[in-house]
Amino acid sequence: MDTAPAQDSGQLTFRDAADADVPALVTLIESAYRGDSSRAGWTTEADILQGRRTDPDGVRQVIEAPGSRLLVVERDAATVACCQLEHRGDAAYFGMFAVRPELQGAGLGKVIIAEAERTVRESWGVREMHMTVISVREELIAWYERRGYRRTGKLSPFPYGDERFGIPQRDDLTFELLVKDLI
């Protein structure tokens, strides 16, 4: 297992998710983005989206998809974060990033994203990391920009009407592609 220093007590460990992790990962992802529990952190989408962020089938699909990894981040044997890495040619896609709300703002995200970037460089030899972020999430986009990601201006429509992505609370949602050079 890979380890990295943590801001708090204990080391962080990173490992690939297994089917047994699905219930805990769904709970983690939901708590980081939706509902009142997400308001304990700063990455909440609760004001712009209601409903589910993911479900067991969605998490399983990420775990089982070829060229995809779902990293589980643990501290003291407890799941504290996760992120999806998907190999897409010369790039990797970074998604499904969730940190327990009560641990957000303590520096874990910086450590996790750096480890994700190292992992895809070493595992797949990719040149770039890509992600999509809801374009109205200015504070979150600014956080990624401080990590070296740049806005591309490339927008894709939000899937209105598909409740698998949540129930929008506004009519101006789009995804913006952010990119970081890894070489």
Side-chain angles (χ1 to χ4, degrees), residues 28-81:
L28 167 67
I29 294 162
E30 291 296 314
S31 75
Y33 287 95
R34 304 287 166 80
D36 287 336
S37 66
S38 70
R39 295 182 194 281
W42 68 273
T43 63
T44 183
E45 294 175 341
D47 294 329
I48 60 172
L49 293 163
Q50 293 181 353
R52 297 189 62 89
R53 173 71 159 72
T54 193
D55 59 25
D57 289 338
V59 172
R60 251 186 230 96
Q61 287 174 5
V62 172
I63 291 170
E64 296 171 359
S68 177
R69 298 173 71 181
L70 185 55
L71 292 184
V72 176
V73 184
E74 295 174 318
R75 177 190 285 148
D76 300 327
T79 299
V80 296

Side-chain angles (χ1 to χ4, degrees), residues 100-113:
R100 282 186 13 203
E102 69 275 13
L103 300 177
Q104 292 175 15
L108 286 176
K110 294 175 197 175
V111 173
I112 294 163
I113 200 166

Side-chain angles (χ1 to χ4, degrees), residues 64-151:
E64 296 171 359
S68 177
R69 298 173 71 181
L70 185 55
L71 292 184
V72 176
V73 184
E74 295 174 318
R75 177 190 285 148
D76 300 327
T79 299
V80 296
C82 68
C83 65
Q84 169 193 10
L85 303 172
E86 185 179 314
H87 191 189
R88 296 183 177 177
D90 286 340
Y93 178 80
F94 179 81
M96 210 174 268
F97 186 28
V99 175
R100 282 186 13 203
E102 69 275 13
L103 300 177
Q104 292 175 15
L108 286 176
K110 294 175 197 175
V111 173
I112 294 163
I113 200 166
E115 177 63 14
E117 292 165 0
R118 184 198 66 75
T119 297
V120 299
R121 265 193 319 269
E122 290 183 7
S123 297
W124 298 326
V126 298
R127 305 172 72 80
E128 293 180 331
M129 183 80 91
H130 294 185
M131 69 175 71
T132 54
V133 179
I134 297 173
S135 61
V136 298
R137 307 270 329 270
E138 294 294 337
E139 185 179 6
L140 182 59
I141 290 171
W143 187 86
Y144 284 121
E145 288 177 315
R146 290 191 300 274
R147 313 276 94 61
Y149 288 81
R150 68 183 184 285
R151 297 181 88 153

